Amino acid sequence: MTAPMRRNVFYPFLVSMALLCCSTLLASSHREAPHTLELPKTDGTDFYMFRSYEEGREDYVTIIANYNPLQLPYGGPNYFLLDEDALYEIHIDNDGDAVEDITFQFRFSNNLAENFTLPVGDEGATANVAIPLVQIGALSADNIPNGSVVQVEERYTLDVITGDRRTGAKTAVTNAESDATSFLKPSDNYGSKSIPDYAAYADAHVYNIALPDASTGRVFVGQRQEGFVFNIGKGFDLINLNPLGAVDAESSALQQVNITSIALEIPISYLTQGSETVIGAWTTASKRRNRVLLSEGKPVGNPFGDSSEGTTSFDNPDVEFGRWHQVSRLGNPLVNEVVIGLPDKNKFNFSEPMNDGDFATYVTNPVFPELIEILFGVTAPNSFPRNDLIQVFLTGIPGLNQPANATASEMLRLNTATPVTARADQNPLGVLAGDNAGFPNGRRPGDDVIDAALRVVMGVLLDETVAPSGQAAYTDGAYIDARLFGGGFPYLNHPIDGSSF
């Protein structure tokens, strides 16, 4: 196949994705479904799981769930709080049955810890007036907690649930040094004047945690620089890029925005069960089914049934109640963007892995290659059901990351027995390039999931006789590798500061 012919195959493939994704971004679940556009704080964007490659931490698994996409660094004055009326959860299946066995549950509270005022007026007629800004002075690692200079204090709790995430036994995770059950989230990176040394300030919010079995791990929740790369601007300018050019020929506009990361480092022994070394994982966010907006001066009866009433305030603008309803779900990257059809994108976000039979046709009989063939006259992979995609997305790959009793379900799977690949030796294409510690055996920050996923969907794992268009070296030109990230927990880079623009 000549290079020009390959180029013609690739362009319609991306055009088809752009048409089908409609208003979504081709990124690892950035605004991937219509409903999450309305609830951006609960929009899960990227999910990572890998054996820690920080020196001396190889017996741990790092799990990172990113939320609240496309945070402009200069997004003041209120910046990017997480939703205190939501459940943020990371689920672990350690026996292959597509049901959670361990859930790490995060709850956030955003409180007006201080009410900073300034005296305004002439002598004798001075009024103390609340300031409109979040902060009134410089933050550093030395003045944590931040109440002396920041009005809004963000805290979170972390619980571990064994068994069913709604009915299982719940145990609070504590600070291993202080036994506290509440953890402080660092303020977003307002800028270099407000937080002169953000790295030191943020690092002071990495906590050692005590788990229910007396083992220890680490947790960090806070703003990070977006770690996902994709050339969005040119990609949506009628695919104005060279898909067979150099892998570093283009930039990634996503590198100019931030994200909020929920990061855990947990011992392998805590996550696995018996002799099974493969774990599956996914992240979800849930909201209450009902919401009442409170009006100043017009108290509303508390829907929870007690006698209290309240009016709107900074801490209490509304009341949410009722059963939890899952609104966001993410395991493997790109599934809801380029695998699930538009009519079912919200349904997929509301679903659980145990019910993924509802979406099986999207994997066994993928629509994208067929659309390419119909619209552009090329030959789509002709192998049905697409067992290669079933293994990558639904069961794990035999001999790599498929559990002994695998139930077909979409989640990110990691074989915790796979040796760690040192940061300097990691290949961005992961398993496709012989680096078995990378995607789709888990996912590391430096794995190029766009390039890998394009090749897999087009049939790189199939024989050329049934996938003649599958062997091209597709790339969006936005380069990524492990050296662009930190070498230790929480791995993703510190956020871009708000005064850098």
Side-chain angles (χ1 to χ4, degrees):
M1 182 182 296
T2 64
M5 188 178 298
R6 282 173 157 180
R7 191 172 190 270
N8 290 336
V9 170
F10 184 81
Y11 268 60
F13 176 58
L14 285 181
V15 170
S16 297
M17 288 195 294
L19 290 172
L20 288 174
C21 288
C22 195
S23 63
T24 65
L25 293 176
L26 177 60
S28 187
S29 291
H30 291 70
R31 295 180 175 173
E32 85 294 346
H35 187 57
T36 52
L37 292 173
E38 303 174 26
L39 301 167
K41 291 183 179 181
T42 59
D43 186 359
T45 65
D46 282 283
F47 188 62
Y48 304 87
M49 180 171 64
F50 53 95
R51 281 189 65 177
S52 300
Y53 48 88
E54 179 180 345
E55 186 175 353
R57 306 294 290 186
E58 295 82 3
D59 292 335
Y60 292 79
V61 169
T62 294
I63 306 171
I64 305 170
N66 284 350
Y67 280 90
N68 203 358
L70 305 176
Q71 300 177 13
L72 295 174
Y74 45 87
N78 294 300
Y79 297 94
F80 303 97
L81 307 175
L82 288 180
D83 190 342
E84 62 182 351
D85 293 317
L87 284 182
Y88 296 86
E89 296 175 307
I90 293 170
H91 310 282
I92 306 294
D93 170 22
N94 57 23
D95 58 10
D97 65 354
V99 178
E100 68 272 8
D101 298 294
I102 302 170
T103 294
F104 298 94
Q105 185 181 94
F106 292 79
R107 296 291 305 273
F108 291 86
S109 61
N110 306 320
N111 300 313
L112 193 63
E114 298 287 342
N115 183 12
F116 295 142
T117 62
L118 291 176
V120 180
D122 296 331
E123 184 176 354
T126 300
N128 290 319
V129 183
I131 70 169
L133 303 178
V134 172
Q135 79 281 19
I136 199 170
L139 277 168
S140 74
D142 297 325
N143 62 3
I144 299 172
N146 310 324
S148 61
V149 292
V150 176
Q151 297 200 77
V152 181
E153 183 179 77
E154 298 179 78
R155 287 191 173 272
Y156 62 94
T157 59
L158 169 58
D159 295 306
V160 175
I161 301 168
T162 303
D164 184 275
R165 59 178 167 167
R166 296 292 175 259
T167 62
K170 180 186 292 189
T171 305
V173 173
T174 61
N175 186 316
E177 276 76 42
S178 67
D179 292 329
T181 58
S182 176
F183 303 90
L184 188 65
K185 174 180 173 289
S187 297
D188 293 342
N189 197 353
Y190 308 141
S192 57
K193 184 175 181 180
S194 296
I195 313 177
D197 187 351
Y198 193 87
Y201 167 71
D203 288 346
H205 293 80
V206 175
Y207 298 100
N208 294 317
I209 55 175
L211 296 166
D213 68 347
S215 64
T216 59
R218 289 191 284 187
V219 67
F220 171 82
V221 178
Q223 193 178 49
R224 301 280 90 184
Q225 182 182 8
E226 173 63 79
F228 187 78
V229 300
F230 176 63
N231 189 2
I232 287 180
K234 290 188 176 181
F236 286 99
D237 181 22
L238 299 177
I239 320 301
N240 185 15
L241 50 80
N242 179 9
L244 292 177
V247 296
D248 59 354
E250 305 289 349
S251 62
S252 172
L254 288 173
Q255 299 310 105
Q256 304 303 311
V257 298
N258 296 322
I259 204 76
T260 299
S261 293
I262 298 173
L264 286 167
E265 188 180 56
I266 304 296
I268 292 174
S269 59
Y270 189 85
L271 298 174
T272 55
Q273 181 178 171
S275 61
E276 179 59 74
T277 61
V278 175
I279 58 175
W282 67 101
T283 184
T284 63
S286 300
K287 294 278 288 179
R288 297 286 188 182
R289 289 183 178 272
N290 304 291
R291 181 187 186 199
V292 173
L293 298 176
L294 303 180
S295 299
E296 185 66 39
K298 297 180 180 180
V300 176
N302 192 319
F304 291 103
D306 59 34
S307 59
S308 64
E309 294 183 336
T311 59
T312 185
S313 66
F314 178 90
D315 297 332
N316 194 40
D318 57 30
V319 176
E320 298 191 12
F321 60 99
R323 295 176 59 190
W324 291 108
H325 177 68
Q326 182 179 299
V327 296
S328 179
R329 168 188 171 186
L330 179 61
N332 278 293
L334 303 167
V335 170
N336 212 359
E337 285 81 5
V338 300
V339 178
I340 305 300
L342 185 61
D344 285 331
K345 289 183 181 295
N346 287 333
K347 180 180 178 181
F348 180 81
N349 267 351
F350 299 164
S351 69
E352 298 182 44
M354 69 176 76
N355 299 318
D356 280 348
D358 294 345
F359 310 101
T361 301
Y362 288 121
V363 180
T364 61
N365 299 74
V367 69
F368 296 119
E370 301 302 318
L371 283 173
I372 295 169
E373 181 171 290
I374 292 171
L375 296 174
F376 302 100
V378 298
T379 302
N382 187 24
S383 177
F384 303 103
R386 282 289 297 274
N387 289 321
D388 57 327
L389 298 184
I390 291 173
Q391 292 176 359
V392 169
F393 292 118
L394 299 182
T395 65
I397 300 171
L400 178 70
N401 65 343
Q402 186 179 105
N405 300 302
T407 299
S409 53
E410 195 285 304
M411 62 182 72
L412 189 64
R413 290 178 173 84
L414 171 69
N415 189 338
T416 60
T418 304
V420 173
T421 301
R423 176 185 176 214
D425 299 325
Q426 292 179 20
N427 191 299
L429 290 177
V431 174
L432 290 181
D435 180 2
N436 286 345
F439 180 76
N441 185 22
R443 179 188 175 191
R444 304 165 302 195
D447 289 339
D448 194 339
V449 294
I450 283 282
D451 288 7
L454 290 174
R455 300 179 195 195
V456 168
V457 171
M458 286 302 292
V460 70
L461 300 177
L462 299 173
D463 188 271
E464 289 191 53
T465 60
V466 295
S469 302
Q471 301 303 312
Y474 304 135
T475 180
D476 69 325
Y479 185 73
I480 185 173
D481 72 30
R483 295 169 297 179
L484 300 178
F485 300 91
F489 185 82
Y491 293 94
L492 298 184
N493 295 327
H494 294 294
I496 303 168
D497 77 80
S499 59
S500 62
F501 288 85

